[in-house]
Each structure stands twice: as C-alpha cells, then as structure tokens.
Amino acid sequence: MLQLENIQVSFGVQPIVQSVSLRLAAGEIGCLLGPSGCGKTTLLRSIAGFQAIQDGRISIDNIEMSAAGKQIPAEQRGVGMVFQDIALFPHLTVAENISFGMRKTRASEKQQRVAELLERIGLPGYQKRYPHELSGGQQQRVALARALAPKPRLLLLDEPFSSLDAELREKLAIEVRQLLKQEQITALLVTHDQQEAFAMADKAGVMYQGELLQWETPYQLYHTPRHQLVADFIGHGVLLQGTINAKGSLASPLGMLQHQSLEHIAPGTPVSFLVRPDDIVPDAQATLKGRIKSRGFRGAFNLYTVELPSGIEVLTLSPSHEQLEVGATIGLRPEFDHLVVFASDHCELPGLEQQPPTDKPMLLPEAQSA
Ligand code: ATP
C-alpha cells in the first residue's frame, strides 16, 4: 500500500534521509523509532507531500507520488496527518473539529460519521463540547477522529501522544491500534517511545542519521536486532565482548557459552553479543556471582544492575515481590533463547538470523566451575 524505495532527502548539501526503503501492506501499522534529529519527521513530511525528495520513489496504492523532480500535491494524496501539538480549533466544537475536513460531504452524512467516530474513540455525546472542556487525552482522541473522518487511505502520526503521561500514552496507543484496525486504515507512526511502538506496530524500524537500520516486526527488532545501534536503542541490555573459542563456543565474561549458531564463525574471531535482562536468571545455586549495584522498580518486576567480579555490568530481572538488596551478592545463570552476535563492523554476523530462536545455548562444564 505504501512503498518507499531508496528515498533521499537533503536540506542544501546536508543529507537528512538516506536510501530509506520500506513497505506497508494495506491495513498495516508501521512505527519509526530513532533518536532526535535522525530524520523521522522529514521522512513523514515527504510521504505527506510537504517535502520534496531528491532521489528514490514514494508510491501509495501503486501510484507514484514522489520522485526526483516530481511531487504530487499533499491534498491529492489522500493522506491524513496527526501531529504532536494537538491543534484542535479552539473556537470550534468537537463536532465541527471532527467534520472540518469533510466539507464536501452532506450534513446528515457528516453528523452520522461524527457520531460514529465519537463512539469509537469512547466520547459519545461530546459533539457540542469545546476543546478547552476536554482533557489532554480526550483532545488527542478528537484530533485522531478529525484525521480519520475523511477516511484517508493512509494516516501519518507524528509523536501524537508525546504530550501525555506514560500511562495514558500506552492506553491510548492500544486504543488507537484497535481503532485503526476497525477502520482498516494503513498508518505510519513516528515516536520516541518504544513501548508505544511495541503496542501499536505490525512493523517497526529504527532510524539513525537518516538511515533506516532495520524494518521488521517489533519482536524481531527486540530479539534479533541486526545492528548494534538497534540493539542499543530497543529495550534494555548490554553488549559484551567475547571470542569464538572453538567450534560453536564463545568465551565470554558470563563463562563459556555454546550454541549451534556460532558453529560457522571461525575460532579466534572477536565478537560482541547482546545480553538482555531476561537472558540472565538470578539463581542462588549458580557459580557465576555478581554484586547488585542498583535496583529499579518496574511494577511487576525489578530491574537489577549487577557487577561481575571482572567489573562488567549486566542486567537481570525478577518479580518485584522477591526484593533483592543493593550490595548483596547473587548467583546468575545465563539462559539465552538465542544469541545475537555482532562482528566488529557492528552488524550481525551473516547467517545467525536463520537459527531457530528457541535453541538454548548450554554452559560448558568449565564455565560452571570457573
Ligand atoms: P525529533 O525526534 O527531534 O522530532 P526527527 O528525527 O523527526 O527529530 P527531523 O525533524 O526529521 O528529525 O530533522 C532531521 C534533521 O533535519 C535535523 O538535523 C534538523 O535540524 C534538520 N532539518 C529539519 N527540517 C529542516 C529544514 N527545513 N531546513 C534545514 N534543516 C532541517
């Protein structure tokens, strides 16, 4: 439905978006994540038709919208946008705000669509209210209804929940996903917030300095990042250094790890590998010990930073009702579902992603006695 092929955008000589390609099927929701200034908004504006592209191609429903020297005007693209600053018209009622983009529609149809959308966003009967009579979350829902009212074929959302608190953000993200699915609208969302991306997206990607490093499901971004920057940006975790020791085994600060996915890497190869908090289980019986440096309350669980005797720090988690004290020594048992290993060029070593993610690496006997 949406197809970007090698998009290039520059401001003057400064390249801002570089060689970005991605696809969204009809009805899919995509999310772009990435640090501030990496080009997310610029990419969104290019898709909306507010920004020219210097190279590549943007197509919507197989119709070419942008290419070098070509830009179909924004109003002819059938694209809706929701921005960070809610910008409802303060002097218009909720109903007037929602029906603002439906000027050519008959009054009775408009009324029906407004009522239907208010029902869907959980604000039935709010037609006559003014924006100042709504909470921030309610205003954001109305802004969304306004964008959905003319039934755009593609909806672009730029940090739409960033002015809301974390709890409301996550709740709204789930609601908005349901709403978009009901309305069968394809959408692309820009956000800083990974929880929001995880809650909403069918496909997600991390942008860095104008490049899209990976475009896959949120699960794949978290569990099989193909680039160290993606691993760093998505979720908690640390990258540890190790060396391939012999066929299929990795000498590491966590001991000797063994996994069939390492078998094709030549012995002696230095690598970094990703360790998520859920890859390390607190276990009093384990021979690998560490000292708890800090504890972060995360609701259902606590996130611990643990210092190993070598000075290296790793993260682990356990249910928050089993409180472990800062300064205490704990045993740690590595339990990887899969190993994500990077070569020195910061990209995943080829071939590893084909490995089944459920094979657990085993600790070799020498690690257990180390
Ligand atoms: P944020 O998450 O902070 O909103 P972003 O990833 O959306 O950031 P963009 O707004 O796309 O980033 O900006 C990317 C880069 O392009 C920034 O360095 C910004 O300063 C620059 N930039 C954006 N618009 C223009 C412009 N009109 N002229 C020149 N440079 C611009």
Side-chain angles (χ1 to χ4, degrees):
M1 195 276 160
L2 172 68
Q3 189 170 5
L4 271 55
E5 295 161 83
N6 294 314
I7 303 304
Q8 203 82 28
V9 181
S10 306
F11 291 121
V13 291
Q14 185 69 26
I16 300 296
V17 173
Q18 306 191 55
S19 246
V20 169
S21 299
L22 63 84
R23 275 162 181 261
L24 272 180
E28 268 189 330
I29 302 172
C31 275
L32 287 170
L33 286 156
S36 182
C38 68
K40 306 180 293 293
T41 298
T42 305
L43 190 64
L44 223 55
R45 286 173 51 79
S46 311
I47 299 169
F50 299 129
Q51 174 67 51
I53 65 172
Q54 274 69 52
D55 205 357
R57 214 155 79 99
I58 299 174
S59 319
I60 298 175
D61 275 340
N62 288 322
I63 301 167
E64 187 178 84
M65 295 287 168
S66 296
K70 172 176 179 181
Q71 193 178 353
I72 303 273
E75 61 277 14
Q76 290 172 25
R77 294 190 178 207
V79 172
M81 274 201 89
V82 181
F83 295 98
Q84 184 170 350
D85 44 346
I86 300 166
L88 290 177
F89 302 113
H91 57 292
L92 298 184
T93 63
V94 164
E96 288 162 346
N97 263 287
I98 294 178
S99 56
F100 189 80
M102 303 167 65
R103 282 185 213 147
K104 289 183 194 145
T105 315
R106 274 186 308 167
S108 59
E109 237 177 87
K110 252 191 228 178
Q111 250 181 15
Q112 199 186 339
R113 179 81 175 134
V114 168
E116 173 191 291
L117 281 166
L118 282 175
E119 194 76 43
R120 291 216 164 146
I121 60 170
L123 298 174
Y126 275 58
Q127 278 88 338
K128 295 214 167 99
R129 294 249 194 144
Y130 282 88
H132 73 269
E133 296 171 315
L134 303 175
S135 72
Q138 290 169 337
Q139 288 184 37
Q140 199 51 277
R141 280 179 222 171
V142 172
L144 188 72
R146 182 175 62 181
L148 291 176
K151 299 201 170 161
R153 45 184 170 182
L154 174 67
L155 185 67
L156 304 173
L157 304 116
D158 194 358
E159 307 252 6
F161 314 121
S162 62
S163 58
L164 309 174
D165 63 62
E167 202 181 322
L168 184 56
R169 248 190 346 243
E170 201 168 337
K171 186 167 167 279
L172 255 186
I174 294 166
E175 285 175 14
V176 169
R177 179 180 163 86
Q178 283 168 353
L179 182 62
L180 292 172
K181 292 290 174 189
Q182 281 167 0
E183 295 261 321
Q184 299 177 337
I185 287 181
T186 313
L188 185 61
L189 166 87
V190 158
T191 177
H192 276 104
D193 182 341
Q194 337 173 350
Q195 293 314 320
E196 200 172 292
F198 288 175
M200 280 199 65
D202 299 306
K203 296 272 171 57
V206 174
M207 280 186 77
Y208 185 76
Q209 293 185 346
E211 286 182 54
L212 183 61
L213 300 177
Q214 189 171 348
W215 179 253
E216 283 185 304
T217 64
Y219 182 93
Q220 285 167 316
L221 283 189
Y222 183 83
H223 286 291
T224 51
R226 293 177 198 280
H227 200 291
Q228 277 197 18
L229 288 161
V230 176
D232 260 354
F233 196 79
I234 300 284
H236 294 293
V238 291
L239 286 161
L240 298 186
Q241 308 301 313
T243 307
I244 301 299
N245 200 32
K247 202 167 181 254
S249 71
L250 171 63
S252 84
L254 303 177
M256 196 69 76
L257 303 173
Q258 213 179 31
H259 195 274
Q260 69 186 95
S261 67
L262 305 170
E263 279 174 8
H264 69 285
I265 308 174
T269 306
V271 295
S272 17
F273 66 105
L274 176 63
V275 186
R276 298 280 194 209
D278 39 316
D279 293 328
I280 298 191
V281 181
D283 176 357
Q285 309 305 318
T287 47
L288 178 66
K289 302 288 183 199
R291 192 182 61 84
I292 297 178
K293 265 193 95 176
S294 67
R295 182 181 65 213
F297 179 60
R298 294 286 187 279
F301 61 90
N302 282 320
L303 184 66
Y304 296 94
T305 304
V306 182
E307 187 177 7
L308 302 178
S310 56
I312 284 169
E313 289 177 8
V314 291
L315 300 168
T316 186
L317 41 85
S318 80
S320 56
H321 55 80
E322 296 165 4
Q323 195 121 294
L324 304 166
E325 296 307 322
V326 172
T329 298
I330 60 167
L332 298 170
R333 176 165 43 85
E335 197 177 293
F336 290 85
D337 270 343
H338 49 270
L339 270 175
V340 177
V341 179
F342 298 97
S344 48
D345 63 359
H346 309 309
C347 286
E348 197 179 18
L349 285 163
L352 286 181
E353 66 273 22
Q354 276 109 44
Q355 298 304 322
T358 47
D359 283 350
K360 289 196 195 314
M362 297 177 320
L363 270 176
L364 290 177
E366 59 258 43
Q368 288 167 355
S369 59

